[in-house]
Amino acid sequence: LLLLGLLLPMLLPHGSLRVPGEVEALLSETLAGETDPARLAYVRSACGLVGRVKYFWGGKSHVLGWDYAWGWPQKVTAPGGPGSGRWRPCGLDCSGLTAWAAATALHDPSAYEVVGEGVRAQYALCAPTDSPRPGDLAFFPDLSHVGVVLGRDGAGELWVVHCSYSLGGVVVTPATVGFALYGTPGIFLEAE
């Protein structure tokens, strides 16, 4: 068991949260005009989990950086959701991704409180905006889903990174999949 404990960290996907190549190309377009280092770090932290972390109902993580629990079987204890009471690979839900990415990007656990946990709490803690910037939050109109705005590509299309139940985990999609409300999280409000 001691040997397994020493070898396990080397076998798991971790290290720097590198952004997948196909997402990196999109980021070079969407982040071209953004100069706020905190916003850039927030977007990159969220994108570092694309294709690496699965959706998990009620999934939150208070680990700054890679959480070694991700991918390991865990019982879904949050009530009322898909898979409640079943064992699933540990991961994040949508609001878990946005909160984790903020704390990880800023290297500050207090970001969890400023961003909030849960979609409705996160929406309530944002300042509404009609001109979303990279790092702002994107919400479905019924407040059932949240993601992090990447920005607009060369054609003007708005992109969002989010942890999707229907798509199986952390993905990047156009905002047109259902995002219609946008807000600036409190972590950026004092700087603006």
Side-chain angles (χ1 to χ4, degrees):
L1 286 177
L2 180 59
L3 183 59
L4 180 61
L6 295 172
L7 292 176
L8 194 55
M10 292 183 272
L11 300 174
L12 296 174
H14 67 286
S16 65
L17 296 170
R18 290 184 303 166
V19 175
E22 65 277 7
V23 175
E24 187 64 52
L26 178 63
L27 285 180
S28 67
E29 277 188 75
T30 61
L31 298 178
E34 185 57 60
T35 58
D36 182 342
R39 285 178 176 272
L40 295 170
Y42 187 26
V43 169
R44 289 194 166 280
S45 288
C47 287
L49 299 186
V50 171
R52 299 176 70 194
V53 174
K54 299 290 184 194
Y55 183 88
F56 189 89
W57 180 260
K60 309 290 187 247
S61 174
H62 285 262
V63 173
L64 299 182
W66 183 261
D67 187 336
Y68 286 98
W70 292 332
W72 288 94
Q74 186 175 18
K75 189 173 186 177
V76 179
T77 58
S84 291
R86 295 191 177 135
W87 287 83
R88 303 266 191 231
C90 183
L92 293 168
D93 66 11
C94 61
S95 64
L97 170 67
T98 55
W100 172 88
T104 294
L106 301 175
H107 308 286
D108 185 356
S110 70
Y112 288 105
E113 294 172 26
V114 177
V115 172
E117 290 195 16
V119 178
R120 291 180 185 280
Q122 289 179 352
Y123 182 74
L125 291 169
C126 281
T129 182
D130 292 328
S131 301
R133 290 174 54 190
D136 283 339
L137 297 183
F139 300 89
F140 278 15
D142 64 355
L143 299 181
S144 64
H145 194 52
V146 63
V148 179
V149 172
L150 301 184
R152 295 189 184 277
D153 64 17
E157 180 144 38
L158 190 65
W159 291 82
V160 177
V161 58
H162 53 111
C163 194
S164 167
Y165 169 71
S166 61
L167 298 174
V170 181
V171 295
V172 172
T173 65
T176 54
V177 299
F179 295 103
L181 301 173
Y182 302 94
T184 302
I187 56 174
F188 302 128
L189 291 176
E190 292 178 13
E192 296 178 354

